[in-house]
Amino acid sequence: MSALEIIPKGRHATASITRRGALAGIGGTVVLSLSMFTDAPMPMLALVSVGGLLILVSCLAGAVVALFSPFREEK
Amino acid sequence: MYTVILLLAALVVIAVALLAGVSAGVKPGMTRRAFVFLALTVLPGLWTLGLLVRADATMKSVGFCLGCHEMEPFGSTLMASGANVLAASHYRNEFVDRGSACYECHSEDTIAGAIDAKLTGLHDIRVHYLGTIPDTIRLKEPYKSSICLSCHGATAVGEEPGHPHDLMATISAGDMSCLDCHGPAH
């Protein structure tokens, strides 16, 4: 499935990565924000871990677009 | 206050990321790539660092430590009466920051000490949720006198009336600790 490709091929790769990165960034920000409202150890650690991973995906997406865009099929 | 600032900054991060996502179809020129990098990498990254500072402070709080029920007996000793309970005397007299009393006395005042405290906390959380909580909870190693000395000072301790003149040498050699005479802590 094209939705599962890490770096999608085709003329719209940049747009696809950007959207995925934006979704991950928004999701990560929301999840990390929720972690501010709990003092319980496990929920807090779980939220910080999940949110941190999503933010990492967002950061990677932004870096990939900044460094490698436009991709070969888009040129 | 810091929480409010983080929440407001989160709205900005979300808005900028949303803008980047909605306008994803724009041709990737230099300006566009710089904007995407700012929206997806720089802003979320910086905001996350700010949140981790707050999360670190939360994880040092007494409330966080006492979130596990097996810690409640130790937490209750913070409010014990009598000067012979170290935890209580330090807590009641605010010799340590009340908000992070547990962390201040159970971590060395070094980078390695902070890392060790975090790893110990992760271990304790794993045992609490996935393991068997022991009937008697003990420190993983003998309490380090260096933690006492980080506040009380080696010179002051060595010159304290009532202390043997070679006390610091004895403590440094590991032959005794502060708690041998001044304990129990809890």
Side-chain angles (χ1 to χ4, degrees):
Chain A
M1 289 171 59
S2 62
L4 296 179
E5 292 174 356
I6 295 177
I7 298 181
K9 296 179 175 61
R11 295 189 298 116
H12 306 293
T14 297
S16 181
I17 293 172
T18 304
R19 287 192 199 98
R20 294 179 192 187
L23 275 175
I26 292 169
T29 304
V30 171
V31 171
L32 286 175
S33 297
L34 290 175
S35 75
M36 290 194 280
F37 297 101
T38 178
D39 284 343
M42 189 56 108
M44 184 181 183
L45 284 175
L47 288 170
V48 170
S49 300
V50 171
L53 283 174
L54 290 172
I55 292 292
L56 183 63
V57 169
S58 171
C59 290
L60 287 173
V64 165
V65 168
L67 293 174
F68 303 112
S69 175
F71 300 98
R72 186 175 302 171
E73 291 82 4
E74 294 178 303
K75 292 179 183 172
Chain B
M1 184 65 184
Y2 191 58
T3 302
V4 172
I5 293 173
L6 279 176
L7 287 173
L8 291 174
L11 291 176
V12 173
V13 171
I14 289 171
V16 176
L18 191 61
L19 181 62
V22 165
S23 61
V26 174
K27 189 174 180 180
M30 181 66 75
T31 305
R32 171 66 189 175
R33 285 157 53 192
F35 173 69
V36 170
F37 184 71
L38 176 75
L40 301 188
T41 302
V42 175
L43 288 182
L46 289 176
W47 183 83
T48 302
L49 286 176
L51 179 124
L52 289 178
V53 169
R54 185 193 179 281
D56 180 65
T58 300
M59 284 187 269
K60 291 176 181 176
S61 68
V62 172
F64 188 83
C65 296
L66 300 186
C68 294
H69 69 275
E70 59 268 29
M71 288 289 113
E72 288 171 5
F74 300 96
S76 64
T77 62
L78 294 177
M79 305 306 296
S81 58
N84 58 339
V85 179
L86 271 184
S89 64
H90 281 72
Y91 186 83
R92 288 201 323 268
N93 295 303
E94 297 188 39
F95 294 154
V96 292
D97 180 1
R98 285 190 174 184
S100 57
C102 308
Y103 182 84
E104 286 205 33
C105 292
H106 284 279
S107 67
E108 292 185 86
D109 195 19
T110 60
I111 294 176
I115 294 172
D116 185 60
K118 290 289 189 278
L119 292 175
T120 302
L122 284 174
H123 166 268
D124 292 347
I125 288 173
R126 182 184 63 77
V127 170
H128 176 84
Y129 286 99
L130 302 176
T132 304
I133 301 170
D135 294 328
T136 304
I137 295 175
R138 304 180 191 282
L139 292 173
K140 66 177 184 178
E141 57 186 0
Y143 191 80
K144 294 182 179 177
S145 296
S146 59
I147 298 175
C148 308
L149 296 175
S150 66
C151 288
H152 290 278
T155 303
V157 167
E159 297 175 354
E160 180 75 14
H163 283 171
H165 69 281
D166 60 346
L167 176 62
M168 283 311 306
T170 307
I171 290 176
S172 298
D175 294 335
M176 71 177 297
S177 79
C178 306
L179 293 183
D180 288 342
C181 296
H182 294 284
H186 286 279

